[in-house]
Amino acid sequence: MKRVLPAVAAVFLIAATAPSAQAVDQSKGYPGFCKDATGVTVVVDFQQLGGTTIVRCNPQTTRGTGLDALKGAGFQIAGVQRWGESFVCRVENRPSAAENVPITGRGDYREPCVDTPPAQAYWSYWHASNNCAWDYSQWGVKNRDFIPGGFEGWSFSLNATTQSNPVPRISAVRPGTESQPCVPREEAKPVTGDPGERQQRPPSGNGQQADGPQPTTGAGEAPAAGPSSGALPPPKPRPSASARPKAQDPSMNVAFTGGENAEDVNAVIDRESGAGGWAPWAAGAAVLALCVAGFLMARRRKRAQGV
């Protein structure tokens, strides 16, 4: 009996102190487009995964990476075990470990987030200056700086090709700036292939990079490491943008929210695993019931022996 009671207390302590994670961290950023050119607007488009498209602002005024923009806007992410947050595997717990992602040739695929997600199902990473068309990111989420006043986009790509990766369905246009011209900012090449290394400062002059196509990456991937490092896999090839058309009319945007009504991440996990928030309490009650039954049985035995 003395050994069981501490276990019961531990169960109730864990249930009472377990942290609750919100699908969107409302303490970071705010819903909707950024109000001025100092922050960065982050768009998450779940595409064929279903669900809403979420738009939030990270009002950060200092220099920051794409990862800073995503997390600073309040989005919860998960990296892969092998590369950490250098490779974004889940955004708002999607795709979850319990849902089937019907990739070509394997309709029952589930994303374990152990290594790089397959090319048929991953979060594609985009960016845009204000009032410009979306560009597929040339560099990894830790290797590039977000564009102040611009946009960061995450769009789930399912069974797409290098030419058909889905662009975020929210125009990169801050409200009230529709008449402003598109002024794209060229991205400088990262110093190394280290996923923790940010890009170089843009060169002086016209800011243009060398001619010719540049290597590009997949969902939050870092660029290929040098031949001697062998630290990261080579990037997935993506076509570089040869032209930068003006962003589509914002009236074509799909419906979106700021994530205020997004379901709690823990609730999603519990529901998909068949568990619930009541499970720890139910387990504690079951243990307590067993303890009481054992105590009563012991008393009966003592009385029977006394008679």
Side-chain angles (χ1 to χ4, degrees):
M1 179 61 66
K2 291 182 179 179
R3 295 179 180 177
V4 177
L5 288 177
V8 176
V11 170
F12 279 94
L13 179 61
I14 292 172
T17 59
S20 59
Q22 295 297 322
V24 171
D25 186 348
Q26 303 293 346
S27 69
K28 298 179 180 178
Y30 57 84
F33 295 87
C34 288
K35 298 178 175 62
D36 53 42
T38 57
V40 57
T41 300
V42 183
V43 175
V44 172
D45 192 338
F46 296 91
Q47 298 281 358
Q48 290 174 270
L49 287 178
T52 186
T53 300
I54 302 177
V55 179
R56 291 184 65 84
C57 174
N58 174 6
Q60 182 174 336
T61 58
T62 57
R63 183 185 184 191
T65 65
L67 184 61
D68 294 330
L70 184 62
K71 297 174 74 172
F75 291 100
Q76 291 205 9
I77 68 165
V80 297
Q81 293 179 22
R82 186 177 184 187
W83 308 112
E85 292 181 340
S86 299
F87 290 76
V88 174
C89 180
R90 304 192 212 283
V91 181
E92 297 302 308
N93 196 42
R94 303 295 305 281
S96 76
E99 68 179 300
N100 289 341
V101 182
I103 64 176
T104 302
R106 189 177 173 185
D108 61 348
Y109 176 78
R110 293 185 178 184
E111 180 54 64
C113 289
V114 174
D115 207 337
T116 312
Q120 301 99 316
Y122 71 98
W123 281 101
S124 60
Y125 178 35
W126 305 76
H127 66 88
S129 296
N130 184 50
N131 236 8
C132 294
W134 287 103
D135 247 347
Y136 195 100
S137 179
Q138 297 186 50
W139 315 118
V141 67
K142 284 188 175 182
N143 291 88
R144 61 173 302 276
D145 288 350
F146 63 74
I147 301 171
F151 288 73
E152 294 274 306
W154 292 86
S155 178
F156 194 77
S157 177
L158 180 62
N159 298 322
T161 67
T162 57
Q163 301 293 336
S164 63
N165 282 321
V167 174
R169 294 170 296 174
I170 297 292
S171 302
V173 181
R174 290 199 316 278
T177 66
E178 292 84 355
S179 62
Q180 295 181 6
C182 166
V183 183
R185 192 193 77 170
E186 295 295 331
E187 292 193 292
K189 183 177 180 180
V191 178
T192 70
D194 181 355
E197 181 68 41
R198 286 193 288 185
Q199 67 187 56
Q200 301 176 37
R201 287 289 191 181
S204 58
N206 60 10
Q208 300 294 318
Q209 298 183 67
D211 294 334
Q214 298 293 322
T216 56
T217 61
E221 292 184 21
S228 61
S229 69
L232 291 171
K236 297 174 185 177
R238 293 289 186 274
S240 59
S242 57
R244 298 177 184 270
K246 187 178 178 63
Q248 65 181 15
D249 186 337
S251 65
M252 302 298 291
N253 287 352
V254 297
F256 71 91
T257 74
E260 293 83 357
N261 299 320
E263 188 175 6
D264 183 271
V265 170
N266 285 340
V268 174
I269 295 173
D270 288 344
R271 184 183 70 251
E272 293 178 346
S273 64
W278 49 266
W281 298 102
V287 173
L288 181 59
L290 289 174
C291 292
V292 172
F295 175 74
L296 295 175
M297 185 177 294
R299 287 190 61 182
R300 289 176 183 175
R301 286 179 180 175
K302 288 183 179 180
R303 288 178 180 178
Q305 292 173 357
V307 175

